[in-house]
Amino acid sequence: MAPKQVKSFPSVPLKDELDIVIPTIRSLDFLEVWRPFFEPYHLIIVQDGDPTKVIKVPDGFDYDLYNRNDINRILGPKASCISFKDGGCRCFGFLVSKKKYIYTVDDDCFVAKDPNGKDINTVEQHLLNLKTPSTPFFFNTLYDPYREGADFVRGYPFSLREGVPTAVSHGLWLNIPDYDAPTQLVKPLERNTRYVDAVMTIPKGAFYPMCAMNLAFDRELIGPAMYFGLMGDGQPISRYDDMLAGWCSKLICDHLNLGVKTGLPYLWHSKASNPFVNLRKEYKGLFWQEEIIPFFQTLTLPKECDTAAKCYVELAKLIKEKLNHIDPYIVRLADAMITWIDAWEDFNPPAEAVPAVANAKKDTVPPKKSK
Ligand SMILES: O=c1ccn([C@@H]2O[C@H](COP(=O)(O)OP(=O)(O)O[C@H]3O[C@@H](CO)[C@H](O)[C@H]3O)[C@@H](O)[C@H]2O)c(=O)[nH]1
Ligand SMILES: [Mn+2]
């Protein structure tokens, strides 16, 4: 029986283990309030929209900034799988990072305070979530047993107390909740004021609406499944980027016996996007998900799929085969999922593959970097 994981967690930044990926089509002024927590880390900023627009990065941050011209130059034809004019473009940052962990956060999110009035270091809590096991096979009613002041409750099988590696840590949001457009429209003034002091493993076989606003994951375990789809400009759907990644990554985590946690940390979501614009962007998803989610719920992957990348390729084939009747877009999406894996393996060669850099387009002009 493995010893219990470390309960408390050093607050020393793990700069060599984690990159912070930020998609932006607006401004990076929000970084000022995150400075105490983010400054030690390398930022990968994915600038969406007009690449000629100059987005200022506050002084003192270590960053790479990629705009659409950089993405096109670096990926060449494979850039076609990266969304344009949708927050889903962030997955380019997941691809080019070399770190074990990714934390991705939206540019309208700010530091929240816990009930004691203390600023919440989301990076630290996500790392704690990812570095302690998950318990997907049997629900612990006192929530995360690896947290300080908690444990497995009576009746919890000892054979399961070692848990499984955690691949995804899904944080939450105070103030503006991540509602879909219909809910936003009928509840425009609703604010989330409830701070629930819990982290829990999402049980095996259960899916969830993964929101990328405050999300961390283990690139080495589940990176290939964190593709944010073909959304935004030129596509019939948007704002389902993180949902697609959530369905795919949870199916693959369940198949590979990896864990997904949700709950702490919280951040403060400041901006409600326009519900009418959102309705136009996401309405097809409201219909399609009623068929797509049962597809995921009844899917089993072959046991030969023993890595996230192999699972993802198989999943793309099944989506193309079983869901193409929904809309011709699904075929393009499935093809883009394969392109994503090709690009992923150019930058992150499988153990047995040749060094990937030879395949990836030489990046003659480096992205804008911190000074
Ligand atoms: O065309 C775009 C639009 C947005 N972004 C960047 O993506 C994130 C989220 O944008 P926004 O805050 O406007 O979206 P929300 O409705 O609040 O958030 C939900 O949508 C998901 C993204 O699709 C998000 O994760 C959900 O929580 C910001 O950083 C924008 O700058 C973009 O790059 N391109
Ligand atoms: Mn937002």
Side-chain angles (χ1 to χ4, degrees):
M1 180 96 60
K4 269 280 193 60
Q5 295 284 331
V6 171
K7 292 246 187 205
S8 58
F9 190 68
S11 58
V12 60
L14 299 179
K15 178 176 172 57
D16 296 340
E17 292 190 53
L18 180 138
D19 278 339
I20 299 176
V21 176
I22 303 165
T24 188
I25 197 164
R26 299 186 280 231
S27 144
L28 294 170
D29 294 347
F30 84 120
L31 284 173
E32 272 315 328
V33 299
W34 288 105
R35 190 179 290 275
F37 303 141
F38 286 9
E39 199 167 48
Y41 290 96
H42 178 66
L43 310 183
I44 297 176
I45 299 159
V46 184
Q47 176 185 338
D48 194 15
D50 176 5
T52 63
K53 180 182 168 191
V54 177
I55 292 194
K56 172 108 179 62
V57 183
D59 292 342
F61 286 97
D62 167 45
Y63 70 90
D64 281 319
L65 186 147
Y66 297 91
N67 63 28
R68 192 67 207 190
N69 294 336
D70 298 317
I71 294 172
N72 293 340
R73 184 185 62 250
I74 294 165
L75 295 185
K78 294 175 187 170
S80 61
C81 77
I82 303 296
S83 298
F84 185 58
K85 295 195 178 167
D86 180 274
C89 64
R90 74 177 84 211
C91 62
F92 177 77
F94 309 160
L95 188 84
V96 295
S97 170
K98 291 287 168 243
K99 301 288 175 60
K100 177 170 176 55
Y101 300 112
I102 292 285
Y103 174 48
T104 186
V105 61
D106 290 1
D107 64 8
D108 61 347
C109 294
F110 294 82
V111 176
K113 291 187 181 300
D114 70 18
N116 302 318
K118 183 171 178 259
D119 284 352
I120 297 168
N121 182 342
T122 53
V123 183
E124 188 178 65
Q125 180 65 50
H126 278 301
L127 280 169
L128 181 57
N129 292 348
L130 290 168
K131 285 173 169 290
T132 52
S134 292
T135 55
F137 307 125
F138 199 80
F139 189 78
N140 191 52
T141 49
L142 204 53
Y143 308 117
D144 187 345
Y146 300 96
R147 283 189 72 195
E148 195 62 48
D151 216 312
F152 291 101
V153 296
R154 178 171 56 89
Y156 200 99
F158 282 87
S159 59
L160 294 175
R161 293 193 184 196
E162 196 169 332
V164 299
T166 301
V168 179
S169 172
H170 180 263
L172 295 172
W173 349 271
L174 293 172
N175 194 38
I176 308 287
D178 185 23
Y179 285 166
D180 51 41
T183 309
Q184 268 186 296
L185 283 166
V186 297
K187 304 173 98 175
L189 302 179
E190 185 146 294
R191 297 293 178 267
N192 180 31
T193 58
R194 188 181 303 115
Y195 181 98
V196 177
D197 182 8
V199 177
M200 57 188 88
T201 297
I202 300 175
K204 180 168 183 167
F207 287 84
Y208 73 113
M210 186 179 83
C211 169
M213 216 190 296
N214 176 18
L215 180 74
F217 61 90
D218 183 320
R219 271 182 82 260
E220 293 170 3
L221 293 178
I222 203 66
M226 284 297 188
Y227 174 50
F228 274 41
L230 269 186
M231 305 279 159
D233 194 47
Q235 307 304 337
I237 187 169
S238 198
R239 287 171 51 84
Y240 266 78
D241 49 323
D242 40 10
M243 298 298 138
L244 172 75
W247 302 328
C248 295
S249 58
K250 185 60 168 65
L251 178 84
I252 293 169
C253 281
D254 287 351
H255 176 76
L256 297 177
N257 290 335
L258 300 171
V260 176
K261 290 178 181 174
T262 188
L264 301 181
Y266 281 86
L267 51 61
W268 182 268
H269 183 209
S270 72
K271 194 192 299 281
S273 36
N274 181 307
F276 291 101
V277 171
N278 288 346
L279 186 57
R280 201 176 298 124
K281 287 182 173 181
E282 71 189 35
Y283 79 93
K284 285 181 186 277
L286 303 177
F287 297 105
W288 293 354
Q289 69 187 3
E290 295 298 340
E291 183 168 355
I292 294 172
I293 290 171
F295 161 79
F296 276 92
Q297 288 170 323
T298 54
L299 199 57
T300 49
L301 294 171
K303 65 180 187 320
E304 297 73 45
C305 297
D306 55 5
T307 66
K310 290 178 189 171
C311 290
Y312 205 77
V313 168
E314 181 65 22
L315 180 53
K317 281 185 213 151
L318 290 166
I319 286 173
K320 188 169 187 174
E321 188 186 311
K322 308 280 188 193
L323 296 178
N324 64 65
H325 61 281
I326 292 177
D327 187 286
Y329 162 79
I330 298 292
V331 174
R332 297 207 313 274
L333 174 65
D335 290 342
M337 291 168 71
I338 298 296
T339 305
W340 160 260
I341 291 294
D342 289 346
W344 182 272
E345 291 184 344
D346 286 347
F347 281 82
N348 305 275
E352 68 282 358
V354 296
V357 179
N359 307 338
K361 211 168 168 65
K362 285 268 175 284
D363 183 5
T364 46
V365 176
K368 292 167 194 63
K369 296 179 77 68
S370 43
K371 295 175 188 54

